[in-house]
């Protein structure tokens, strides 16, 4: 679980990293190989989320020092928000994610792999949802650990899973692997992006095992097609 008293400083004008195949996970499954996953385009998905029917009781901040301006919005079969992306490097300790690379590092995630270990942020694309509060309860909205998320940035689609929970008043965070696959600087201390990220979370979905990224892409592509048809 991410609990920060400080915020990530998203570097202004940070150079985009070239996307490539990420290292294999500890259990042997590979990380994302492409910044456009599945057959549904970013433009098609974004066309369905141009307006917001707010389902949260209030709005979220993107960082401690910002105003609360981000609502959680409802659609048929999904919820979504448009925010920034801070980098979550929590979970298994690796060369890229540890106390030496991330001042806010924690060695656990809210949801775990099938073998009971925390998720691995540098190879598994996952998204952080705000912990339950009076603003919004993700579980009551049909969102669960391992649920599929379409993350859209710079006309690219990356499928991820709901993998961790964060502060009750802040939104807009995803794993190192999610950022890297989308061309966002994944450095947990100085990376991320200040805006332009859309998160579409598909209700009542679940990838099993949660660490199987290929299964997330397959299910995500199917759910994205349903999303287009139903909205």
């Amino acid at each position: 679980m991410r609990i920060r008293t400080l915020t990530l400083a998203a570097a202004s004008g940070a150079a985009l990293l070239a996307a490539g195949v990420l290292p294999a996970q500890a259990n042997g499954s590979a990380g994302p190989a492409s910044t456009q996953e599945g057959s549904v385009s970013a433009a098609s998905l974004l066309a369905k989320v141009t307006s917001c029917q707010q389902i949260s009781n209030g709005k979220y901040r993107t960082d401690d020092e910002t105003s609360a301006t981000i609502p959680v919005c409802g659609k048929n079969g999904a919820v979504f928000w448009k925010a920034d992306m801070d980098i979550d490097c929590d979970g298994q300790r690796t060369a890229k994610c540890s106390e030496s690379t991330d001042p806010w590092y924690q060695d656990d995630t809210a949801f775990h792999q099938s073998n009971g270990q925390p998720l691995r942020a540098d190879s598994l694309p996952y998204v952080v949802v705000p912990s339950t509060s009076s603003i919004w309860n993700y579980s009551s909205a049909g969102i669960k650990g391992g649920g599929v998320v379409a993350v859209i940035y710079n006309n690219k689609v990356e499928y991820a899973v709901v993998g961790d929970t964060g502060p009750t008043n802040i939104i807009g965070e995803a794993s190192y692997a999610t950022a890297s696959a989308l061309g966002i600087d994944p450095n947990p201390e100085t990376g991320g992006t200040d805006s332009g990220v859309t998160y579409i979370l598909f209700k009542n979905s679940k990838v099993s095992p949660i660490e199987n990224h290929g299964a997330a892409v397959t299910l995500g592509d199917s759910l994205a097609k349903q999303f287009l048809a139903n909205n």
Side-chain angles (χ1 to χ4, degrees):
M1 179 180 291
R2 175 70 74 184
I3 303 174
R4 293 185 174 181
T5 55
L6 299 173
T7 59
L8 289 172
S12 177
L16 295 179
L17 297 184
V21 178
L22 294 176
Q25 294 184 46
N27 65 0
S29 59
S34 169
T35 53
Q36 172 59 55
E37 296 186 320
S39 60
V40 178
S41 70
S44 296
L45 289 170
L46 291 175
K48 299 295 185 178
V49 294
T50 55
S51 61
C52 174
Q53 180 179 350
Q54 183 171 329
I55 61 170
S56 54
N57 294 322
K59 296 182 179 181
Y60 288 95
R61 303 172 183 269
T62 56
D63 292 297
D64 279 338
E65 69 273 12
T66 62
S67 301
T69 60
I70 310 297
V72 177
C73 311
K75 299 290 283 189
N76 289 329
V79 304
F80 74 92
W81 55 80
K82 300 180 180 182
D84 65 341
M85 183 184 287
D86 292 334
I87 309 303
D88 191 331
C89 231
D90 291 343
Q92 294 185 39
R93 188 176 283 102
T94 67
K96 295 176 180 175
C97 290
S98 69
E99 295 89 345
S100 63
T101 64
D102 181 1
W104 306 278
Y105 175 76
Q106 297 179 57
D107 62 1
D108 201 5
T109 50
F111 307 105
H112 292 167
Q113 293 182 169
S114 55
N115 62 3
Q117 293 184 1
L119 303 182
R120 180 170 168 173
D122 67 356
S123 60
L124 181 68
Y126 70 73
V127 165
V128 181
V129 296
S131 294
T132 296
S133 71
S134 59
I135 301 176
W136 184 56
N137 182 331
Y138 67 87
S139 181
S140 296
I143 305 305
K144 60 187 72 176
V148 181
V149 187
V151 188
I152 306 163
Y153 177 75
N154 197 24
N155 204 36
K156 300 166 186 169
V157 179
E158 175 68 14
Y159 289 104
V161 292
V162 175
D164 204 0
T165 56
T168 57
N169 63 338
I170 293 176
I171 207 165
E173 187 174 7
S175 69
Y176 184 111
T178 310
S180 183
L182 289 168
I184 296 170
D185 182 355
N187 185 301
E189 185 172 10
T190 60
T193 185
D194 288 332
S195 62
V197 185
T198 299
Y199 304 82
I200 302 175
L201 294 77
F202 298 109
K203 295 180 181 179
N204 302 311
S205 63
K206 187 170 185 177
V207 175
S208 185
I210 191 173
E211 66 269 20
N212 188 332
H213 179 65
V217 176
T218 299
L219 180 56
D221 191 51
S222 175
L223 292 171
K225 292 174 182 177
Q226 291 180 32
F227 180 73
L228 296 185
N230 295 334
N231 288 281

